[in-house]
Amino acid sequence: MLKKKILLIAPSSIPTFGAEAIVNKKLIFTLVKSEKFEIDLISQRIKWKHYPVEEQDIPLKSIHIIDNDLRVTPIMIWQHILAFFKFGITFKAIHWAVKALPIAEKLVKQNKYDYILTKDAPSFVIGNYLKHKYGIKWIATWNDPYPGVKYPCPYGKGWSASGNVFDKMCTSAMEGADKYIFPSERLRNHMLKYLNIRLEDTVIIPHVVLDTDNNNVQQGKVLKLLHSGTLQSPRDPETFLRALKLFLLNNPDSNIEVSILGIIEEKGAKLIKQLKLEDVVKLIPPVSYTQSLEILKDYQIALIVEAQCNEGIFLPTKVTDFMQCHKPIFAVSPSVGVLNDMYNNGFVQYFADVTDIDSIANTLENIYSDFSNDKLTNVVLRPNSEFSEKQIIEQYYNL
């Protein structure tokens, strides 16, 4: 079988920083491990970060990491002006694409690629440029809506928001790909409402769940739940915390602990004190991605709290992390959305409407009952699941 040769332009990937980078790094690892792909990667290293960054040793054909400073400087302003003349478009953070383009063009001239794969803004402007200049197949990935104004409320103003002139320029540049990858149908359908692209040119490929055999459920004497990642606006832990307080009032003899790993807003921290939950809710400072998975080993339940949206269109990175660690998931999410779909399909074990305190408290009751009766089980992914390495490798090979 011939290897597929890919130019991967993924500013968020290696080094690994943040959710987008974690998703992309796991995909890169999976494709390279299969020995069916030969990948040249163009990525970035960002200055002025809040979370620990991990380097990664993956045997790529080549890797080109471009340092990127997000501070506003005269050089950055000049690069934004250059972007307009080079790409016919400019917007916040496009200056990285100006620095990455010469490397991308050099690689295109040296190699015969099966396709260019772009992930995360502003990589799409490079993909668009290379496709039109060199006639190379371009496949664009969108793990979140873009531009930001098109996020669903309360993140943004919804798909119908007109945005400014730069937002309109972005949507036009996003429409030039041969194929478009989305992690969920709900995100695809949201973006199809404002992008002029054909349904038949879209592909649903969820985030990969790596094949692992560790992190089994540990019973223990205390039910321990872990929430990983930020709880910052518009994610609001209030309904969960009030539901936890209600559960404790109804079950005063219960042994339960909830840890929040990452950044929580001052409002949430104050509510923990107001509800007198300091002995139950533990706050853990941010750690690296690998460390977060190590911490998860000591917990029986992986908790996810999403923002209150009319429809949940996101597939959170942490969901597939939890799945590969074989942990039962408790999703506190919109009643209509991706995580509710996953609950109905058996990938998420416990679910409650993020707006309904009673529903969350009742689900905590169910979880605690299962814990007390030794019914919490190690979650195993089906070998041919759409999240499996095998299926995702096949999809990328056949693009």
Side-chain angles (χ1 to χ4, degrees), residues 362-375:
N362 289 338
T363 306
L364 284 170
E365 295 263 7
N366 295 337
I367 294 172
Y368 198 82
S369 175
D370 288 347
F371 166 75
S372 301
N373 293 295
D374 296 333
K375 290 184 179 179

Side-chain angles (χ1 to χ4, degrees), residues 27-231:
L27 175 66
I28 293 167
F29 173 79
T30 300
L31 298 183
V32 171
K33 186 179 72 169
S34 73
E35 298 184 345
K36 295 181 179 180
F37 300 86
E38 186 176 279
I39 299 174
D40 291 302
L41 171 66
I42 302 176
S43 185
Q44 73 175 333
R45 182 183 286 107
I46 304 178
K47 298 180 180 179
W48 314 104
K49 300 167 291 291
H50 298 289
Y51 275 88
V53 173
E54 288 187 345
E55 304 289 343
Q56 190 69 33
D57 184 20
I58 299 176
L60 294 155
K61 183 188 175 191
S62 70
I63 179 169
H64 309 267
I65 301 175
I66 301 169
D67 288 331
N68 195 11
D69 192 337
L70 300 180
R71 295 175 300 175
V72 177
T73 64
I75 292 175
M76 176 197 273
I77 294 171
W78 173 242
Q79 288 168 337
H80 277 73
I81 295 171
L82 287 178
F84 182 79
F85 288 104
K86 179 62 70 171
F87 303 116
I89 180 175
T90 193
F91 53 85
K92 184 179 180 180
I94 197 175
H95 62 293
W96 176 85
V98 172
K99 295 189 287 183
L101 181 61
I103 297 172
E105 287 203 87
K106 181 179 178 181
L107 289 169
V108 165
K109 292 173 182 176
Q110 292 175 344
N111 301 278
K112 185 175 177 58
Y113 292 111
D114 289 283
Y115 56 83
I116 296 167
L117 180 62
T118 60
K119 292 183 175 287
D120 193 16
S123 65
F124 68 94
V125 298
I126 304 176
N128 194 320
Y129 181 92
L130 296 176
K131 172 182 168 56
H132 287 92
K133 183 172 181 178
Y134 298 99
I136 304 174
K137 185 177 183 180
W138 168 37
I139 299 171
T141 307
W142 295 105
N143 290 327
D144 294 303
Y146 199 82
V149 70
K150 299 288 189 177
Y151 269 64
C153 296
Y155 290 94
K157 297 182 179 180
W159 68 266
S160 61
S162 59
N164 57 37
V165 63
F166 302 109
D167 295 327
K168 293 173 182 176
M169 293 167 70
C170 281
T171 55
S172 177
M174 291 163 63
E175 295 170 350
D178 295 280
K179 289 285 184 182
Y180 304 83
I181 298 173
F182 302 93
S184 73
E185 289 188 15
R186 290 187 183 275
L187 175 59
R188 177 191 65 186
N189 294 343
H190 175 88
M191 295 183 70
L192 282 181
K193 292 175 181 176
Y194 65 88
L195 290 179
N196 184 27
I197 60 179
R198 302 183 305 170
L199 179 65
E200 54 265 37
D201 290 334
T202 67
V203 184
I204 305 300
I205 307 181
H207 308 326
V208 65
V209 174
L210 301 181
D211 295 336
T212 59
D213 57 5
N214 60 354
N215 285 20
N216 295 343
V217 169
Q218 305 294 321
Q219 188 60 27
K221 296 181 180 180
V222 179
L223 173 61
K224 299 174 69 176
L225 295 81
L226 178 69
H227 183 283
S228 301
T230 62
L231 277 175

Side-chain angles (χ1 to χ4, degrees), residues 47 67 229 261 301 303 383:
K47 298 180 180 179
D67 288 331
L261 171 59
I301 298 291
L303 173 65

Side-chain angles (χ1 to χ4, degrees), residues 209 212-219 224-226 228 292-304 318-331 346-350 376-381:
V209 174
T212 59
D213 57 5
N214 60 354
N215 285 20
N216 295 343
V217 169
Q218 305 294 321
Q219 188 60 27
K224 299 174 69 176
L225 295 81
L226 178 69
S228 301
S292 72
L293 299 185
E294 284 297 313
I295 290 172
L296 180 60
K297 290 182 179 180
D298 294 329
Y299 292 79
Q300 295 98 346
I301 298 291
L303 173 65
I304 298 171
K318 67 190 79 172
V319 174
T320 47
D321 291 338
F322 296 157
M323 291 167 70
Q324 76 188 34
C325 292
H326 310 300
K327 295 293 183 179
I329 297 171
F330 176 23
F347 294 112
V348 168
Q349 289 67 46
Y350 301 96
L376 293 182
T377 58
N378 185 44
V379 177
V380 179
L381 190 69

Side-chain angles (χ1 to χ4, degrees), residues 328-339:
I329 297 171
F330 176 23
V332 181
S333 308
S335 57
V336 176
V338 173
L339 294 192

Side-chain angles (χ1 to χ4, degrees), residues 260-276:
I260 298 173
L261 171 59
I263 298 173
I264 183 171
E265 285 187 339
E266 185 178 354
K267 172 187 172 184
K270 286 182 177 179
L271 185 59
I272 292 170
K273 293 181 179 179
Q274 179 185 328
L275 296 174
K276 295 180 169 56

